Amino acid sequence: MEKKQKKSKNKKPLFFRILYSIVKVFVKKYQFVFLEELKNDGATIIVSNHAQAGGPLAYQFYYPRKKKIWCIGEVFDKKEFPDYAMKDFWPHKKKSKWFYKILAHILAPLSQYIFKHADTLPVYRDNRYFTTAKLSVNTLKNNEDIIIMPEEHIPYNEIVNEFLQNFVSVAKLYQSKEKKNVYFYPSYVCPALKKVLIGKPILFDTEQDYETEKRRITDTLKSEITKLAYTLPPHRVVPYENINKKNYPHT
């Protein structure tokens, strides 16, 4: 009886499951390739390029393990969604800006509903970041992986942008509470080849100065993601920025 109740509690609402099934029909199927087995003696945080919608969709629909994906907090709030959508989804729509403003307000309640029930965690960049950190630690304690795509609007190279670095604080907080290892894994999402590569782990070193360790982790992840991209056959790279496809870089 207890198991049945738990299963029922964790089951997604019917309307969400219908939406999920419909969307999945239109999402390309990704193959996940692990360069080595994930460690089982600690927590797993996977850090990936964004590839626009490619990264979130690949991990939401095809990642083979239990997970939570970091998503910007504005998409969880119907009041904040319209401004965020205009800034991030349709920044270059000047001629028909009025249409996209209306569309953003129409989509806002649906966005709030979807992200509430998807395998996601809200990420805030203000004083609500404590909520993000707390939810993330609880996720790791529940033996779920965390997927983070921390690119910002500053180029690093032709494969990936610079990273916002606050995500490393989750490892520090988790380790201080649980006294267990935290492993960061580089990941490269390649929509052109329908593949996601997950590289070798980077152990969070609790003996190092935190600021130094934060820079080491983020710099190593960017470098390793770039290397993963170049292990694949030549392909078109889907960048973080929403630009014209003819301007996409190639490996």
Side-chain angles (χ1 to χ4, degrees):
M1 177 67 75
E2 204 172 305
K3 287 185 178 179
K4 286 185 179 179
Q5 287 177 346
K6 187 174 182 181
K7 185 177 180 181
S8 176
K9 184 179 178 181
N10 294 333
K11 195 172 184 179
K12 308 286 187 182
L14 177 60
F15 181 59
F16 175 81
R17 284 182 280 133
I18 292 171
L19 282 176
Y20 186 95
S21 299
I22 293 172
V23 173
K24 191 172 182 180
V25 171
F26 297 96
V27 175
K28 63 178 70 177
K29 187 171 183 179
Y30 285 82
Q31 176 192 6
F32 276 78
V33 179
F34 295 82
L35 297 193
E36 63 177 58
E37 288 187 15
L38 301 186
K39 302 284 188 181
N40 58 13
D41 64 337
T44 295
I45 299 177
I46 294 177
V47 180
S48 178
N49 64 313
H50 211 291
Q52 296 179 22
L57 290 174
Y59 272 98
Q60 174 64 50
F61 288 104
Y62 296 110
Y63 184 62
R65 290 162 52 98
K66 291 172 63 179
K67 84 290 183 182
K68 288 288 190 299
I69 305 168
W70 270 27
C71 290
I72 191 71
E74 284 87 341
V75 299
F76 291 80
D77 190 316
K78 63 183 178 182
K79 292 181 180 178
E80 296 181 358
F81 176 83
D83 287 342
Y84 175 78
M86 292 302 299
K87 180 181 68 176
D88 206 76
F89 299 163
W90 308 302
H92 307 300
K93 305 295 184 180
K94 295 180 179 178
K95 290 184 179 180
S96 51
K97 191 174 181 180
W98 62 271
F99 169 78
Y100 287 95
K101 278 189 174 181
I102 294 172
L103 180 61
H105 280 87
I106 291 172
L107 292 177
L110 183 60
S111 173
Q112 184 181 50
Y113 178 84
I114 289 173
F115 284 98
K116 177 183 176 183
H117 296 293
D119 298 330
T120 52
L121 293 176
V123 178
Y124 301 105
R125 296 176 185 173
D126 52 25
N127 55 12
R128 294 174 293 175
Y129 178 73
F130 178 76
T131 300
T132 301
K134 184 178 178 182
L135 290 171
S136 298
V137 169
N138 288 339
T139 297
L140 296 176
K141 286 170 66 176
N142 289 335
N143 295 316
E144 294 182 87
D145 301 340
I146 290 180
I147 316 301
I148 301 177
M149 300 164 204
E151 288 179 275
E152 59 175 328
H153 296 283
I154 301 173
Y156 172 70
N157 59 22
E158 70 285 358
I159 302 298
V160 68
N161 278 12
E162 292 287 354
F163 284 171
L164 297 165
Q165 298 183 1
N166 280 350
F167 68 88
V168 182
S169 66
V170 173
K172 180 182 179 183
L173 184 58
Y174 175 83
Q175 205 284 330
S176 68
K177 288 180 176 293
E178 300 298 309
K179 310 301 180 188
K180 294 180 180 178
N181 290 331
V182 179
Y183 297 97
F184 288 94
Y185 290 82
S187 165
Y188 177 64
V189 176
C190 181
L193 301 176
K194 301 178 185 177
K195 282 190 175 182
V196 179
L197 301 186
I198 297 178
K200 297 179 180 180
I202 304 162
L203 176 65
F204 178 74
D205 189 349
T206 58
E207 300 299 318
Q208 296 298 319
D209 168 72
Y210 172 67
E211 290 299 321
T212 302
E213 183 65 357
K214 182 169 69 173
R215 287 192 295 273
R216 182 187 75 88
I217 293 288
T218 53
D219 287 347
T220 305
L221 284 166
K222 287 180 294 185
S223 175
E224 290 301 311
I225 290 170
T226 303
K227 290 177 184 177
L228 288 174
Y230 281 99
T231 64
L232 292 171
H235 62 274
R236 184 179 68 182
V237 178
V238 178
Y240 175 66
E241 305 293 347
N242 187 8
I243 61 175
N244 193 302
K245 287 185 178 180
K246 68 180 182 181
N247 296 324
Y248 284 8
H250 289 72
T251 58

